[in-house]
Amino acid sequence: MATFNSPLLTSVSLPVMEHFYTIQGEGFHQGRAAYFIRLGGCDVGCVWCDVKESWDADKHPKFTVESLQSKVLETPAPLVVITGGEPLMHNLNELTDALQLAGLETNIETSGAHPLSGSWNWICLSPKKFKAPLPEILPLANELKIVVFNRSDFAWAEKYAALVSADCKLYLQPEWDKSVEITPLIIEYVKQNPQWEMSLQIHKYINVP
Ligand code: SF4
């Protein structure tokens, strides 16, 4: 087991719903080995949320930054994805400092509805209609991922595409339970608007976490 000691490690702890080593199933880093840390706590309230059990942070055990760093370093993961829940409900400075000091890439998947904290190699912004992202995160996004639930979401996606930086990757991803209906619409939209790409949740097709 690899170990890493850092003077930056603190007693900060965070509610963790689950953590696991897998491959990234969606978006720009799809297919890469990645360690996922799913933090508890979310107040965004998406009706189609597939991790509603994450919403109440108090229902999840707290892990120190040091223990999370150790868990990741037990694996050869080059990349850590911090997700949720809405991970930015927590201050993530200490966690990302510790991970980056250990030589790990840090990626976040966020709705952007809370102030940005942490140091990130990659920010995947997935805005939600139920609680809008804060304006300051929009130019910082490396990837804009829009979950498409119905036809009106294409116009909504374009609203955010106009607000992110010129080099931000643009993804349309079918909401899982409506993917049979929505995927053909996305294919046609991407063909007509090739600045967008389609993102599929490959991990769900191949049945890995
Ligand atoms: S932001 Fe994510 S975790 Fe929160 S309700 Fe929406 S889909 Fe669920």
Short mmCIF file of all heavy atoms in Angstrom, two decimals, residues 39-84:
data_model
loop_
_atom_site.label_atom_id
_atom_site.label_comp_id
_atom_site.label_asym_id
_atom_site.label_seq_id
_atom_site.Cartn_x
_atom_site.Cartn_y
_atom_site.Cartn_z
N LEU A 39 -19.62 12.58 -2.37
CA LEU A 39 -19.90 13.24 -1.09
C LEU A 39 -21.41 13.34 -0.86
O LEU A 39 -22.19 13.50 -1.80
CB LEU A 39 -19.28 14.64 -1.09
CG LEU A 39 -17.74 14.68 -1.21
CD1 LEU A 39 -17.25 16.11 -1.26
CD2 LEU A 39 -17.09 13.93 -0.04
N GLY A 40 -21.80 13.26 0.40
CA GLY A 40 -23.20 13.42 0.77
C GLY A 40 -23.57 14.89 0.85
O GLY A 40 -22.73 15.75 1.11
N GLY A 41 -24.85 15.15 0.60
CA GLY A 41 -25.38 16.50 0.69
C GLY A 41 -25.72 17.06 -0.67
O GLY A 41 -24.88 17.13 -1.56
N CYS A 42 -27.01 17.38 -0.87
CA CYS A 42 -27.41 18.08 -2.09
C CYS A 42 -28.73 18.78 -1.83
O CYS A 42 -29.66 18.19 -1.26
CB CYS A 42 -27.56 17.13 -3.29
SG CYS A 42 -27.90 18.06 -4.82
N ASP A 43 -28.82 20.05 -2.24
CA ASP A 43 -30.06 20.82 -2.08
C ASP A 43 -30.60 21.29 -3.43
O ASP A 43 -31.37 22.24 -3.50
CB ASP A 43 -29.84 22.02 -1.15
CG ASP A 43 -28.80 23.01 -1.71
OD1 ASP A 43 -28.22 22.74 -2.79
OD2 ASP A 43 -28.59 24.06 -1.07
N VAL A 44 -30.17 20.63 -4.51
CA VAL A 44 -30.58 21.06 -5.86
C VAL A 44 -31.96 20.50 -6.21
O VAL A 44 -32.79 21.19 -6.80
CB VAL A 44 -29.51 20.66 -6.90
CG1 VAL A 44 -29.96 21.05 -8.31
CG2 VAL A 44 -28.18 21.33 -6.57
N GLY A 45 -32.22 19.25 -5.86
CA GLY A 45 -33.57 18.71 -5.96
C GLY A 45 -34.04 18.31 -7.34
O GLY A 45 -35.23 18.46 -7.67
N CYS A 46 -33.16 17.77 -8.17
CA CYS A 46 -33.59 17.31 -9.50
C CYS A 46 -34.63 16.19 -9.37
O CYS A 46 -34.40 15.22 -8.65
CB CYS A 46 -32.38 16.78 -10.27
SG CYS A 46 -31.03 17.96 -10.39
N VAL A 47 -35.72 16.33 -10.12
CA VAL A 47 -36.80 15.33 -9.97
C VAL A 47 -36.35 13.95 -10.44
O VAL A 47 -36.81 12.94 -9.94
CB VAL A 47 -38.07 15.75 -10.75
CG1 VAL A 47 -38.71 16.96 -10.11
CG2 VAL A 47 -37.78 16.02 -12.21
N TRP A 48 -35.41 13.91 -11.41
CA TRP A 48 -34.96 12.64 -11.97
C TRP A 48 -33.68 12.14 -11.34
O TRP A 48 -33.05 11.20 -11.84
CB TRP A 48 -34.77 12.77 -13.48
CG TRP A 48 -34.12 14.06 -13.91
CD1 TRP A 48 -34.75 15.16 -14.41
CD2 TRP A 48 -32.74 14.38 -13.87
NE1 TRP A 48 -33.82 16.15 -14.69
CE2 TRP A 48 -32.58 15.69 -14.36
CE3 TRP A 48 -31.58 13.68 -13.44
CZ2 TRP A 48 -31.34 16.33 -14.43
CZ3 TRP A 48 -30.35 14.32 -13.52
CH2 TRP A 48 -30.25 15.62 -14.01
N CYS A 49 -33.28 12.75 -10.23
CA CYS A 49 -32.00 12.40 -9.59
C CYS A 49 -31.91 10.89 -9.33
O CYS A 49 -32.84 10.29 -8.80
CB CYS A 49 -31.87 13.13 -8.26
SG CYS A 49 -30.37 12.72 -7.36
N ASP A 50 -30.78 10.29 -9.72
CA ASP A 50 -30.61 8.84 -9.50
C ASP A 50 -29.78 8.54 -8.25
O ASP A 50 -29.43 7.39 -8.02
CB ASP A 50 -30.00 8.17 -10.75
CG ASP A 50 -28.64 8.73 -11.13
OD1 ASP A 50 -28.18 9.68 -10.46
OD2 ASP A 50 -28.05 8.23 -12.10
N VAL A 51 -29.46 9.57 -7.48
CA VAL A 51 -28.74 9.35 -6.21
C VAL A 51 -29.40 10.17 -5.09
O VAL A 51 -28.74 10.87 -4.33
CB VAL A 51 -27.23 9.69 -6.33
CG1 VAL A 51 -26.47 8.60 -7.00
CG2 VAL A 51 -27.01 11.04 -6.99
N LYS A 52 -30.71 10.03 -5.00
CA LYS A 52 -31.44 10.81 -3.98
C LYS A 52 -30.97 10.47 -2.56
O LYS A 52 -31.09 11.30 -1.65
CB LYS A 52 -32.95 10.55 -4.12
CG LYS A 52 -33.54 11.23 -5.38
CD LYS A 52 -35.06 11.19 -5.39
CE LYS A 52 -35.61 12.10 -6.48
NZ LYS A 52 -36.34 11.47 -7.52
N GLU A 53 -30.46 9.27 -2.38
CA GLU A 53 -29.96 8.90 -1.06
C GLU A 53 -28.74 9.72 -0.65
O GLU A 53 -28.32 9.70 0.50
CB GLU A 53 -29.66 7.39 -0.99
CG GLU A 53 -28.63 6.88 -1.96
CD GLU A 53 -29.18 6.53 -3.35
OE1 GLU A 53 -30.16 7.16 -3.81
OE2 GLU A 53 -28.59 5.64 -3.98
N SER A 54 -28.19 10.47 -1.59
CA SER A 54 -27.05 11.33 -1.26
C SER A 54 -27.49 12.64 -0.61
O SER A 54 -26.67 13.35 -0.02
CB SER A 54 -26.25 11.66 -2.54
OG SER A 54 -26.99 12.57 -3.37
N TRP A 55 -28.74 13.00 -0.74
CA TRP A 55 -29.17 14.37 -0.43
C TRP A 55 -28.90 14.78 1.02
O TRP A 55 -28.52 15.91 1.28
CB TRP A 55 -30.66 14.54 -0.75
CG TRP A 55 -30.98 14.54 -2.22
CD1 TRP A 55 -30.11 14.28 -3.25
CD2 TRP A 55 -32.25 14.78 -2.84
NE1 TRP A 55 -30.75 14.35 -4.46
CE2 TRP A 55 -32.07 14.66 -4.25
CE3 TRP A 55 -33.52 15.09 -2.36
CZ2 TRP A 55 -33.11 14.83 -5.16
CZ3 TRP A 55 -34.56 15.27 -3.26
CH2 TRP A 55 -34.35 15.15 -4.64
N ASP A 56 -29.16 13.87 1.96
CA ASP A 56 -29.01 14.21 3.38
C ASP A 56 -27.58 13.88 3.82
O ASP A 56 -27.23 12.71 4.02
CB ASP A 56 -30.03 13.42 4.21
CG ASP A 56 -30.00 13.83 5.66
OD1 ASP A 56 -29.08 14.56 6.08
OD2 ASP A 56 -30.92 13.40 6.40
N ALA A 57 -26.78 14.92 3.98
CA ALA A 57 -25.37 14.71 4.32
C ALA A 57 -25.22 13.99 5.66
O ALA A 57 -24.25 13.24 5.87
CB ALA A 57 -24.65 16.06 4.37
N ASP A 58 -26.17 14.20 6.57
CA ASP A 58 -26.04 13.61 7.91
C ASP A 58 -26.20 12.10 7.91
O ASP A 58 -25.92 11.44 8.91
CB ASP A 58 -27.10 14.22 8.84
CG ASP A 58 -26.83 15.70 9.11
OD1 ASP A 58 -25.65 16.11 8.95
OD2 ASP A 58 -27.78 16.42 9.45
N LYS A 59 -26.67 11.55 6.81
CA LYS A 59 -26.86 10.10 6.75
C LYS A 59 -25.59 9.36 6.33
O LYS A 59 -25.61 8.14 6.18
CB LYS A 59 -27.98 9.76 5.76
CG LYS A 59 -29.36 10.15 6.29
CD LYS A 59 -30.47 9.55 5.47
CE LYS A 59 -31.81 9.82 6.14
NZ LYS A 59 -32.92 9.85 5.21
N HIS A 60 -24.51 10.10 6.11
CA HIS A 60 -23.31 9.47 5.58
C HIS A 60 -22.13 9.65 6.53
O HIS A 60 -21.99 10.73 7.14
CB HIS A 60 -22.99 10.05 4.21
CG HIS A 60 -24.14 9.87 3.25
ND1 HIS A 60 -24.49 8.64 2.74
CD2 HIS A 60 -25.06 10.75 2.78
CE1 HIS A 60 -25.56 8.78 1.98
NE2 HIS A 60 -25.93 10.05 1.99
N PRO A 61 -21.31 8.63 6.65
CA PRO A 61 -20.17 8.71 7.58
C PRO A 61 -19.15 9.75 7.12
O PRO A 61 -18.99 9.98 5.93
CB PRO A 61 -19.58 7.30 7.54
CG PRO A 61 -20.02 6.73 6.23
CD PRO A 61 -21.35 7.34 5.93
N LYS A 62 -18.48 10.34 8.10
CA LYS A 62 -17.47 11.34 7.76
C LYS A 62 -16.10 10.68 7.66
O LYS A 62 -15.74 9.85 8.49
CB LYS A 62 -17.47 12.45 8.81
CG LYS A 62 -18.73 13.29 8.74
CD LYS A 62 -18.53 14.67 9.33
CE LYS A 62 -19.60 15.62 8.87
NZ LYS A 62 -19.39 16.99 9.34
N PHE A 63 -15.37 11.09 6.63
CA PHE A 63 -14.02 10.61 6.40
C PHE A 63 -13.08 11.81 6.48
O PHE A 63 -13.38 12.87 5.93
CB PHE A 63 -13.88 9.99 5.00
CG PHE A 63 -14.47 8.63 4.84
CD1 PHE A 63 -15.82 8.39 5.06
CD2 PHE A 63 -13.67 7.56 4.45
CE1 PHE A 63 -16.35 7.13 4.90
CE2 PHE A 63 -14.20 6.29 4.29
CZ PHE A 63 -15.55 6.07 4.51
N THR A 64 -11.95 11.61 7.12
CA THR A 64 -10.96 12.69 7.12
C THR A 64 -10.30 12.77 5.74
O THR A 64 -10.28 11.78 4.98
CB THR A 64 -9.87 12.47 8.17
OG1 THR A 64 -9.15 11.28 7.83
CG2 THR A 64 -10.45 12.35 9.57
N VAL A 65 -9.75 13.93 5.46
CA VAL A 65 -9.00 14.10 4.22
C VAL A 65 -7.87 13.08 4.14
O VAL A 65 -7.62 12.47 3.10
CB VAL A 65 -8.46 15.55 4.14
CG1 VAL A 65 -7.35 15.67 3.11
CG2 VAL A 65 -9.59 16.51 3.86
N GLU A 66 -7.22 12.88 5.27
CA GLU A 66 -6.10 11.93 5.30
C GLU A 66 -6.56 10.51 4.94
O GLU A 66 -5.91 9.81 4.16
CB GLU A 66 -5.47 11.93 6.69
CG GLU A 66 -4.25 11.06 6.80
CD GLU A 66 -3.58 11.21 8.15
OE1 GLU A 66 -4.25 11.66 9.10
OE2 GLU A 66 -2.40 10.89 8.24
N SER A 67 -7.71 10.09 5.48
CA SER A 67 -8.17 8.73 5.19
C SER A 67 -8.61 8.60 3.73
O SER A 67 -8.39 7.56 3.10
CB SER A 67 -9.30 8.32 6.14
OG SER A 67 -10.45 9.11 5.92
N LEU A 68 -9.19 9.66 3.18
CA LEU A 68 -9.57 9.59 1.76
C LEU A 68 -8.34 9.52 0.87
O LEU A 68 -8.28 8.74 -0.08
CB LEU A 68 -10.43 10.82 1.40
CG LEU A 68 -11.85 10.79 1.96
CD1 LEU A 68 -12.53 12.14 1.76
CD2 LEU A 68 -12.69 9.69 1.33
N GLN A 69 -7.35 10.31 1.21
CA GLN A 69 -6.10 10.26 0.43
C GLN A 69 -5.50 8.85 0.49
O GLN A 69 -5.06 8.30 -0.52
CB GLN A 69 -5.10 11.28 0.99
CG GLN A 69 -3.84 11.38 0.17
CD GLN A 69 -2.72 11.97 1.00
OE1 GLN A 69 -2.34 11.42 2.02
NE2 GLN A 69 -2.20 13.11 0.54
N SER A 70 -5.52 8.25 1.67
CA SER A 70 -4.97 6.90 1.83
C SER A 70 -5.74 5.88 1.01
O SER A 70 -5.15 4.99 0.38
CB SER A 70 -5.00 6.47 3.31
OG SER A 70 -4.16 7.31 4.05
N LYS A 71 -7.07 6.00 1.01
CA LYS A 71 -7.89 5.06 0.22
C LYS A 71 -7.53 5.14 -1.26
O LYS A 71 -7.40 4.11 -1.93
CB LYS A 71 -9.38 5.37 0.38
CG LYS A 71 -9.93 5.12 1.77
CD LYS A 71 -10.03 3.66 2.06
CE LYS A 71 -10.65 3.41 3.43
NZ LYS A 71 -10.47 2.01 3.87
N VAL A 72 -7.38 6.35 -1.77
CA VAL A 72 -7.04 6.50 -3.19
C VAL A 72 -5.67 5.90 -3.46
O VAL A 72 -5.46 5.19 -4.45
CB VAL A 72 -7.07 7.98 -3.61
CG1 VAL A 72 -6.65 8.12 -5.06
CG2 VAL A 72 -8.46 8.57 -3.39
N LEU A 73 -4.73 6.14 -2.56
CA LEU A 73 -3.35 5.69 -2.80
C LEU A 73 -3.17 4.19 -2.62
O LEU A 73 -2.10 3.66 -2.92
CB LEU A 73 -2.39 6.47 -1.90
CG LEU A 73 -2.25 7.96 -2.27
CD1 LEU A 73 -1.37 8.69 -1.27
CD2 LEU A 73 -1.71 8.12 -3.68
N GLU A 74 -4.20 3.51 -2.15
CA GLU A 74 -4.17 2.05 -2.15
C GLU A 74 -4.34 1.50 -3.56
O GLU A 74 -4.19 0.31 -3.80
CB GLU A 74 -5.28 1.49 -1.24
CG GLU A 74 -5.01 1.68 0.24
CD GLU A 74 -6.20 1.27 1.09
OE1 GLU A 74 -7.18 0.72 0.54
OE2 GLU A 74 -6.14 1.53 2.31
N THR A 75 -4.74 2.35 -4.49
CA THR A 75 -4.97 1.95 -5.88
C THR A 75 -3.97 2.68 -6.78
O THR A 75 -3.35 3.66 -6.35
CB THR A 75 -6.40 2.35 -6.34
OG1 THR A 75 -6.44 3.77 -6.56
CG2 THR A 75 -7.44 1.96 -5.30
N PRO A 76 -3.84 2.24 -8.04
CA PRO A 76 -2.99 2.99 -8.98
C PRO A 76 -3.73 4.13 -9.69
O PRO A 76 -3.25 4.61 -10.72
CB PRO A 76 -2.53 1.91 -9.97
CG PRO A 76 -3.58 0.87 -9.93
CD PRO A 76 -4.26 0.93 -8.59
N ALA A 77 -4.85 4.55 -9.15
CA ALA A 77 -5.65 5.60 -9.80
C ALA A 77 -4.81 6.85 -10.06
O ALA A 77 -4.16 7.35 -9.14
CB ALA A 77 -6.85 5.96 -8.93
N PRO A 78 -4.84 7.37 -11.29
CA PRO A 78 -4.15 8.63 -11.57
C PRO A 78 -5.04 9.85 -11.34
O PRO A 78 -4.58 10.98 -11.30
CB PRO A 78 -3.82 8.51 -13.07
CG PRO A 78 -4.96 7.69 -13.62
CD PRO A 78 -5.39 6.74 -12.52
N LEU A 79 -6.33 9.58 -11.20
CA LEU A 79 -7.35 10.62 -11.30
C LEU A 79 -8.41 10.38 -10.23
O LEU A 79 -8.83 9.24 -10.01
CB LEU A 79 -7.98 10.49 -12.70
CG LEU A 79 -9.31 11.14 -13.02
CD1 LEU A 79 -9.17 12.65 -12.96
CD2 LEU A 79 -9.77 10.70 -14.41
N VAL A 80 -8.81 11.46 -9.57
CA VAL A 80 -9.88 11.36 -8.57
C VAL A 80 -11.03 12.25 -9.02
O VAL A 80 -10.82 13.42 -9.35
CB VAL A 80 -9.40 11.79 -7.17
CG1 VAL A 80 -10.52 11.60 -6.14
CG2 VAL A 80 -8.17 11.01 -6.75
N VAL A 81 -12.22 11.67 -9.06
CA VAL A 81 -13.42 12.43 -9.43
C VAL A 81 -14.23 12.67 -8.15
O VAL A 81 -14.64 11.72 -7.49
CB VAL A 81 -14.28 11.66 -10.45
CG1 VAL A 81 -15.54 12.47 -10.80
CG2 VAL A 81 -13.48 11.35 -11.71
N ILE A 82 -14.42 13.94 -7.83
CA ILE A 82 -15.23 14.30 -6.66
C ILE A 82 -16.63 14.64 -7.19
O ILE A 82 -16.81 15.54 -8.01
CB ILE A 82 -14.65 15.52 -5.92
CG1 ILE A 82 -13.16 15.32 -5.62
CG2 ILE A 82 -15.44 15.77 -4.63
CD1 ILE A 82 -12.83 14.16 -4.74
N THR A 83 -17.60 13.88 -6.70
CA THR A 83 -18.96 14.07 -7.17
C THR A 83 -19.91 14.02 -5.98
O THR A 83 -19.51 14.06 -4.84
CB THR A 83 -19.27 13.00 -8.26
OG1 THR A 83 -20.56 13.27 -8.83
CG2 THR A 83 -19.24 11.59 -7.71
N GLY A 84 -21.21 13.93 -6.28
CA GLY A 84 -22.14 13.92 -5.16
C GLY A 84 -23.45 13.26 -5.59
O GLY A 84 -23.46 12.46 -6.53
#
